[in-house]
Amino acid sequence: MQKIRILVVLGVLIFSSCGQNSKNQRFLPPSTGAVNSVMVVMENDLWQGAIGDKVREHFAARVLAVPQSEAIFSLIQIPPQIFSGAVTNSRSVLYVQQDSLSIAHVKTDVYASPQKVAVVKGRNYQELVSNLDTVASKAIEAFRSNEINEAQKRFKRSLNREADLKEEFGIVMDIPSAYTVGKHENNFVWIDRQIPKGNMNILAYTMPGNSFSTDSTFVRDIVKMRDSIGKLFIPGPDVPGKQTYMVTETAFAPYIFPAEVNGYQAAEVRGIWEMKNYPMAGPFLTYIINDKKNNRKLILEGFIFAPSANKRDDLLELEAIMKTLEFEE
């Protein structure tokens, strides 16, 4: 009898505790917004003046290594008075206000989920500018991370089930079903999808573990690697008397950054590809991943061919796909 009483009391306590937790949890609607868009909440006079110019300098800067000029985010400005209701559910929000406080921080899931809200306040022009400069890089990183996660969530609904990457390299990625394997050879897999004005592509291959060991020749070695792979596997259109294949654009060196791909140490390379002996070009994004366990460098590359079309959002999709990388045990 004593044991039964104890169990009943425990049950009541657990139930009441769960009920308390559910009351404390605030319901958040799902966030909304177009890909790579930021809702900028600030007074019209600030937007049209020097503070607005500073916002655009940071948040509408040009995307690196794309043929056409494209901004990293599409900015939609509204005054604070109409920032209410469904508008507050925007996935990425930049709130800028002249105030009695000086603040610069990024908050998570304020009005919706997933959501990032960068708040910038200042008592005068100088403080607003300083706070924008302070928070910009952190906010941009938070907004982009949110966009990557959103893209991954969307394409995971329908995935490609081909096993070529697993068979060849012992890796898996979440790849949308619109992509199919177009070429699979020894140490090389090419996956692509057709889009209205061209195609989007993902390549995978490996290099020896001691590749790129010298900092002074790092860029040159990357270009040499890409050009040799292009010559072997990525031919261009037939041109009588000429050999056409993908190379790295010779006019500009690619941009290189330290990176992480789903927790794996990597180098990120952004640049422009072109066809040798033929007028074709487009952006590429390459990850060189340090696979110490297998004593190799795993190369993942996304590239786009879409003449005269904007490519920012397509590059984001390729990045989101490659960042789902997992090594099979």
Side-chain angles (χ1 to χ4, degrees), residues 218-230 248:
F218 191 42
V219 176
R220 191 190 320 154
D221 291 343
I222 290 172
V223 171
K224 183 179 178 181
M225 173 193 73
R226 292 195 69 262
D227 293 356
S228 65
I229 290 294
T248 310

Side-chain angles (χ1 to χ4, degrees), residues 135-277:
V135 82
S137 60
K138 183 179 179 181
I140 289 168
E141 182 180 351
F143 292 160
R144 289 201 77 256
S145 179
N146 227 15
E147 293 302 301
I148 293 288
N149 292 336
E150 179 65 19
Q152 291 171 342
K153 184 174 73 175
R154 290 178 182 179
F155 64 60
K156 282 180 180 179
R157 297 168 188 163
S158 178
L159 295 177
N160 177 297
R161 300 299 178 186
E162 295 172 304
D164 296 67
L165 291 173
K166 183 177 180 180
E167 292 168 2
E168 189 65 34
F169 306 110
I171 63 171
V172 292
M173 291 191 291
D174 291 335
I175 301 175
S177 56
Y179 291 78
T180 58
V181 174
K183 182 181 287 189
H184 181 174
E185 299 189 20
N186 181 44
N187 193 34
F188 183 82
V189 174
W190 183 352
I191 302 167
D192 68 323
R193 66 170 287 196
Q194 298 302 305
I195 55 177
K197 295 184 178 181
N199 50 66
M200 296 166 60
N201 307 265
I202 297 172
L203 309 177
Y205 54 95
T206 66
M207 296 287 287
N210 60 359
S211 303
F212 317 112
S213 57
T214 306
D215 290 345
S216 60
T217 63
F218 191 42
V219 176
R220 191 190 320 154
D221 291 343
I222 290 172
V223 171
K224 183 179 178 181
M225 173 193 73
R226 292 195 69 262
D227 293 356
S228 65
I229 290 294
K231 189 172 184 178
L232 281 172
F233 298 114
I234 311 173
D238 290 332
V239 177
K242 293 183 179 179
Q243 185 180 14
T244 64
Y245 56 90
M246 178 184 284
V247 295
T248 310
E249 186 185 55
T250 56
F252 301 99
Y255 298 91
I256 301 175
F257 310 94
E260 226 179 57
V261 177
N262 204 17
Y264 304 110
Q265 183 183 4
E268 178 180 300
V269 186
R270 291 179 181 265
I272 303 291
W273 63 267
E274 61 184 4
M275 279 294 171
K276 187 175 180 65
N277 297 320

Side-chain angles (χ1 to χ4, degrees), residues 22-153:
S22 64
K23 287 179 182 177
N24 291 337
Q25 286 179 344
R26 185 165 59 97
F27 170 76
L28 291 174
S31 57
T32 60
V35 176
N36 285 322
S37 66
V38 174
M39 181 69 67
V40 181
V41 183
M42 60 189 298
E43 296 289 356
N44 293 337
D45 58 339
L46 289 178
W47 175 252
Q48 292 160 7
I51 301 299
D53 290 341
K54 177 60 69 171
V55 169
R56 288 182 284 275
E57 176 188 322
H58 287 297
F59 295 90
R62 180 172 177 169
V63 178
L64 292 177
V66 293
Q68 293 92 4
S69 178
E70 297 183 63
I72 55 174
F73 297 116
S74 300
L75 305 183
I76 305 163
Q77 181 264 336
I78 61 170
Q81 300 91 306
I82 63 172
F83 184 61
S84 61
V87 178
T88 64
N89 297 342
S90 300
R91 193 164 51 253
S92 301
V93 178
L94 173 62
Y95 194 99
V96 182
Q97 183 180 36
Q98 189 164 342
D99 199 281
S100 57
L101 299 173
S102 180
I103 292 173
H105 57 207
V106 178
K107 303 177 77 173
T108 299
D109 296 349
V110 179
Y111 308 100
S113 179
Q115 184 185 56
K116 294 293 181 181
V117 179
V119 180
V120 178
K121 294 184 179 182
R123 289 165 290 194
N124 50 49
Y125 167 82
Q126 288 77 14
E127 283 191 352
L128 282 173
V129 168
S130 176
N131 288 341
L132 276 166
D133 288 339
T134 298
V135 82
S137 60
K138 183 179 179 181
I140 289 168
E141 182 180 351
F143 292 160
R144 289 201 77 256
S145 179
N146 227 15
E147 293 302 301
I148 293 288
N149 292 336
E150 179 65 19
Q152 291 171 342
K153 184 174 73 175

